[in-house]
Amino acid sequence: RLFDVGEFVVRECHDGCDGGRAWLDAGWGNDDVKSVEPPTMIILALLVPAGIFRSAHCLSTPPQKKSLPSLPRRIRARIAPFTLPFFEDGLGFECTECGKCCRVSGDVWLSPEEVAGVSALLNITAKAFREQHVRAVLSPSDAIEDEEYGGSWMCLKKKQHDGSCTFLKESGQCAIYSARPVQCETYPFWPSILNSMETWEDEAVVQDNTPLRSGERYWNADEGGCEGIIAPSASSTSENNADVRIVERQTIVAKMKAARKQWRRFPADEIKETSWFL
């Protein structure tokens, strides 16, 4: 039998031909072929719309097998495009080092191991770190103890004159950049921001003193936003589209997973529901 899967064709030989294996043929001859085990063939058959099956000759001799570039992605894009994230081809982003993400009204919570890492970087004790840079603590007595790491979660202080992070230097740089918490390292690739194309574009802001176009906004401490995000709708019309830095899907997914794991580990559900989002 033979049936189409997008631009591909699946052929299954008779029982005497290579043990009943199937062959995934890209349609350009025997040089562009990928072998498919029967279980995979069955899954593909279930995903293909009914009514497109037709009889065909059997491949009596297995064709030469060669790897097709990005084969899994191409198959997924053809048979189930609705399962692919909107960032499948990457997202335009390049940090402008504006430091505005360090000035938003939200909190920054450090896990127990992050507290240890920052304390070591500053060459101070955990007690000194808590006294100098922390405004709130969640200890095991206050919440469920972290089963993997133990210890307390700590919320960083904010500077009184502008509400910025205690570690934001006058130059706009982070004083603990090499040991910055996951919350900071993964922004803006948080699950809440990557929920959809709309939430990603809503996080984008225009640099100060740049004329606003329809639907654009400037950064403010309450709403936040990232001026390094290149919204797909904007980059597609940009004259400098070739200069847009694209963050690959693998990197996006890795950061998103790290942020999600950190958020799930955080022991205070009430805080997660009211003032701390990732």
Side-chain angles (χ1 to χ4, degrees), residues 2 39 64 130 137 147 166 177 191 212 222 238 250 253 260:
L2 175 152
Q64 179 182 2
R130 178 172 177 171
V137 176
E147 295 181 358
T166 182
Y177 186 82
L212 290 177
D222 292 327
S238 173
Q250 292 85 346
V253 171
R260 181 183 291 116

Side-chain angles (χ1 to χ4, degrees), residues 87-209:
F87 52 82
E88 177 71 11
D89 295 323
L91 290 171
F93 169 77
E94 185 165 8
C95 180
T96 63
E97 299 183 1
C98 64
K100 291 176 180 175
C101 56
C102 307
R103 297 188 177 97
V104 294
S105 57
D107 294 328
V108 176
W109 284 91
L110 275 65
S111 64
E113 70 275 14
E114 289 175 335
V115 171
V118 175
S119 299
L121 178 67
L122 299 175
N123 196 27
I124 59 177
T125 64
K127 180 179 179 181
F129 173 81
R130 178 172 177 171
E131 293 173 348
Q132 298 172 25
H133 302 290
V134 173
R135 71 178 185 84
V137 176
L138 279 175
S139 63
S141 60
D142 298 325
I144 300 174
E145 185 171 359
D146 190 300
E147 295 181 358
E148 184 176 358
Y149 297 100
S152 301
W153 289 69
M154 300 187 185
C155 183
L156 295 180
K157 286 181 178 179
K158 292 179 176 292
K159 296 178 181 178
Q160 292 185 353
H161 67 283
D162 64 356
S164 63
C165 174
T166 182
F167 290 116
L168 183 65
K169 298 189 291 187
E170 293 299 325
S171 62
Q173 305 298 307
C174 176
I176 59 168
Y177 186 82
S178 61
R180 66 196 186 281
V182 169
Q183 178 179 346
C184 303
E185 195 274 330
T186 57
Y187 180 80
F189 302 106
W190 294 347
S192 60
I193 297 175
L194 293 171
N195 185 58
S196 67
M197 177 74 76
E198 290 72 22
T199 54
W200 173 256
E201 293 189 335
D202 285 345
E203 192 69 12
V205 296
V206 175
Q207 296 185 27
D208 297 340
N209 303 319

